[in-house]
Amino acid sequence: MTQDAGAPLAAMFINGQFQQAQGGETFVSINPANGQPVARIPFGDDRDARLAVDAAADAFPVWSRLSAAVRARHLHRVADILERRRGEMALVITSEEGKPLHEAQGELQLSIDSLRWYGEEARRAYGSWIPDPVPGRRLLTQRDPVGVCGAIIPWNVPCGMIFRKAAPALAAGCTMVLKPAEATSYVALKIAEVFAEADLPAGVINFVTGKASAIGNVFLTDERVRKISFTGSTETGRVLLRGAADHIKRTSMELGGNAPVILFEDCDLDASLRAVAALKFLNAGQACIGANRIYVQSSIHDEVGRRLADHARQMKVGEGSLPGVAMGPLVDMKAVEKVEELVGDAVRKGASVRAGGSRMQGEAYEKGSFYAPTVLTEVPRTARMHDEEIFGPVAALYAFETEEQAVELANDVPYGLSAYIFTENMDRAIRVGERLETGMVGINEIRLGAAEAPFGGVKMSGIGREGGREGLDEYLETKLLAIRVKG
Ligand code: NAP
């Protein structure tokens, strides 16, 4: 493991205590904008994960028996602290993940909203009294918390994803062990400080950093962990689903996207272009709901390409904490190399580069992992980026002729997280929206996330939903009580 004496030493949070890894190892997390160390992080393994599961299992009977109203008060307290510390937390997100401060603030807002909304929603998680055809019997259902949950978090939404899982789980009465992505472990351990300050009962929430496969394996094999909630790549999701099958373990899977955006010639072009640019370059293109395939009706394809390219060239790229920066770095150099590979492949197959198409040049970018906002037009269907998530700031435009063809192209991948339609013809929007094989469809709208709304995918983009009432159901079991009544 790399050691760096200059960076602050962070600690895992297990059973209400901050502590180092059992093995004593650490690693250094890096600011992707300048290569500077952000913090030294404990490199935990199965031993630490097991301690955390012990704590979560011990805390479960206490936490699950509190009333939902009392649990809600705890969650509101966490939200209050997060709100008070949001300036500091936004800086931590930006320095470790790279996104501009305003995007980090958006993540924090969603986190605060999730805590407050789920705190209240769990108070309404009651069962039912079922009309019974059998005389002398009553049928009742009650909603019980699933139990100890293991949560695995990606680096691209390092704060928001923690609360999208922890808020409904804790509100429902579950206890949780979280494993953040290696790249954004410091964000998670700062969030652990927020929970510590809120003084929840020890063991209700635990944070373990370090070796993904070892920690994941404890989640998969320890019988006390009743559910795994995962957000990340489809590839890792597949590994976890295989492991979960051995123990018939409940899972929620929020996996990769490959979102189609369909721009019809009858769209409001100014508003649509603003929306598409914002969606494409959000978090430097590293968003599961980001625009991966932009289908443009051929009559407006050239104009859209030209105007998006003008926009891309004017964007201020740099360290996310600097004023006016619209786009930060990619998460690391490996991500930059993957984008280079996909752009090279598309260009070799006939795509035209209208803006960007290379790493950012200049002294300000030398130590970071920056790739220029890029626009490619006339991308052929055979380009790898059509079938793979680009996860970088590359707007790939494909021309189409008819509504039918647009729907076919949009559905022609194994993923189905989000899709977007831009048209002023509402009949068309509804027709197309109904046929798209995705969990979410934006119609002249790119913002899909809200604490109140179900978020998730179909096909290889996942199983289950986060957000909304559906997000609470992921942490609840329904128990039937059949009762004999005399007389
Ligand atoms: P990833 O490589 O799958 O990693 C996600 C998490 O899984 C990280 O914490 C990682 O830990 C952990 N992990 C990796 N291998 C593991 C194993 N064998 N056992 C247990 N845990 C393991 O994905 P990523 O690159 O961080 O995230 C990007 C992907 O997430 C994209 O595909 C994106 O579309 C998807 N995503 C989906 C949603 C959604 O809601 N559908 C939201 C955000 C992101 P380490 O970092 O320590 O390896």
Side-chain angles (χ1 to χ4, degrees):
M1 294 295 99
T2 329
Q3 300 289 332
D4 195 300
L9 177 62
M12 297 191 287
F13 187 60
I14 299 175
N15 202 21
Q17 303 293 321
F18 285 100
Q19 55 196 68
Q20 293 303 311
Q22 293 296 300
E25 282 189 289
T26 59
F27 67 97
V28 176
S29 90
I30 300 293
N31 182 332
N34 56 26
Q36 292 296 308
V38 173
R40 230 161 12 114
I41 308 287
F43 193 75
D45 57 26
D46 53 315
R47 290 167 288 179
D48 306 279
R50 213 156 307 273
L51 285 177
V53 173
D54 290 346
D58 288 348
F60 180 69
V62 179
W63 182 250
S64 58
R65 281 180 207 140
L66 292 178
S67 72
V70 171
R71 289 197 298 265
R73 281 209 289 279
H74 282 290
L75 294 193
H76 280 299
R77 207 164 57 248
V78 178
D80 291 343
I81 296 166
L82 201 56
E83 209 144 19
R84 175 164 54 70
R85 293 179 64 171
R86 64 188 294 166
E88 167 204 352
M89 296 303 293
L91 275 169
V92 173
I93 296 170
T94 292
S95 69
E96 203 181 35
E97 203 271 353
K99 64 183 60 175
L101 274 178
H102 66 269
E103 290 184 22
Q105 287 286 1
E107 252 194 76
L108 281 157
Q109 190 56 54
L110 182 62
S111 305
I112 293 162
D113 291 348
S114 298
L115 285 161
R116 297 203 190 286
W117 193 78
Y118 275 114
E120 295 309 312
E121 189 62 11
R123 299 174 70 175
R124 291 180 278 277
Y126 26 69
S128 53
W129 193 301
I130 300 167
D132 195 332
V134 177
R137 190 181 65 176
R138 300 291 183 273
L139 293 177
L140 277 68
T141 59
Q142 70 180 42
R143 311 296 313 278
D144 292 336
V146 167
V148 175
C149 300
I152 302 176
I153 311 294
W155 50 264
N156 66 333
V157 193
C159 169
M161 285 298 138
I162 287 177
F163 289 101
R164 295 282 267 180
K165 297 182 192 306
L170 267 49
C174 299
T175 56
M176 189 165 247
V177 181
L178 285 129
K179 191 217 94 62
E182 181 169 329
T184 51
S185 295
Y186 192 49
V187 171
L189 297 182
K190 293 302 280 183
I191 290 170
E193 285 180 13
V194 171
F195 277 102
E197 193 180 336
D199 204 20
L200 268 60
V204 166
I205 188 155
N206 307 273
F207 291 77
V208 181
T209 47
K211 195 169 177 5
S213 55
I215 298 164
N217 201 43
V218 171
F219 291 175
L220 290 171
T221 55
D222 192 314
E223 296 292 341
R224 296 170 299 171
V225 178
R226 295 289 167 79
K227 181 195 167 97
I228 296 177
S229 177
F230 171 72
T231 300
S233 63
T234 298
E235 204 181 329
T236 308
R238 200 178 277 126
V239 170
L240 292 171
L241 278 170
R242 274 196 204 107
D246 284 341
H247 298 268
I248 318 293
K249 201 157 282 203
R250 253 182 98 162
T251 58
S252 298
M253 293 280 147
E254 296 285 346
L255 308 177
N258 179 350
V261 176
I262 307 174
L263 278 159
F264 288 101
E265 60 193 1
D266 57 13
C267 68
D268 172 343
L269 200 52
D270 290 345
S272 305
L273 284 174
R274 272 197 303 278
V276 172
L279 179 67
K280 179 62 249 181
F281 299 114
L282 176 74
N283 198 18
Q286 305 167 111
C288 56
I289 55 163
N292 209 60
R293 298 168 284 145
I294 305 172
Y295 299 114
V296 188
Q297 205 152 18
S298 53
S299 57
I300 57 168
H301 176 269
D302 283 353
E303 185 179 358
V304 169
R306 183 173 46 74
R307 289 178 62 180
L308 267 183
D310 288 345
H311 176 93
R313 278 190 291 268
Q314 282 160 21
M315 285 177 73
K316 184 166 172 186
V317 179
E319 243 183 280
S321 54
L322 299 175
V325 164
M327 196 183 95
L330 300 195
V331 67
D332 55 25
M333 285 314 292
K334 226 172 99 196
V336 173
E337 284 158 18
K338 159 114 192 280
V339 171
E340 281 179 332
E341 209 181 294
L342 290 177
V343 170
D345 169 79
V347 170
R348 273 194 302 282
K349 288 173 178 162
S352 305
V353 179
R354 298 297 179 96
S358 63
R359 297 180 189 195
M360 292 294 291
Q361 306 297 324
E363 209 182 325
Y365 304 112
E366 270 168 13
K367 295 194 171 127
S369 39
F370 290 97
Y371 194 87
T374 294
V375 177
L376 303 181
T377 56
E378 293 106 14
V379 181
R381 166 69 186 83
T382 51
R384 271 177 58 196
M385 62 174 61
H386 187 275
D387 296 326
E388 290 178 39
E389 241 182 325
I390 305 170
F391 241 53
V394 180
L397 272 56
Y398 305 78
F400 74 90
E401 302 294 336
T402 64
E403 185 180 309
E404 187 61 28
Q405 193 190 4
V407 173
E408 271 173 26
L409 282 165
N411 288 338
D412 190 25
V413 294
Y415 299 94
L417 188 59
S418 58
Y420 308 86
I421 307 164
F422 290 89
T423 173
E424 290 298 289
N425 178 341
M426 271 302 126
D427 296 327
R428 164 177 273 166
I430 291 167
R431 267 195 318 267
V432 173
E434 285 176 350
R435 289 181 63 197
L436 290 173
E437 296 167 358
T438 57
M440 300 170 283
V441 178
I443 297 176
N444 299 324
E445 175 60 272
I446 57 163
R447 295 161 303 168
L448 304 174
E452 295 84 346
F455 182 106
V458 300
K459 294 160 87 176
M460 275 165 54
S461 289
I463 303 169
R465 292 292 179 270
E466 251 163 22
R469 295 176 67 180
E470 294 84 348
L472 189 65
D473 288 342
E474 301 278 330
Y475 296 95
L476 291 168
E477 298 283 7
T478 299
K479 180 187 281 172
L480 173 73
L481 302 172
I483 306 167
R484 173 130 311 277
V485 179
K486 290 182 186 149

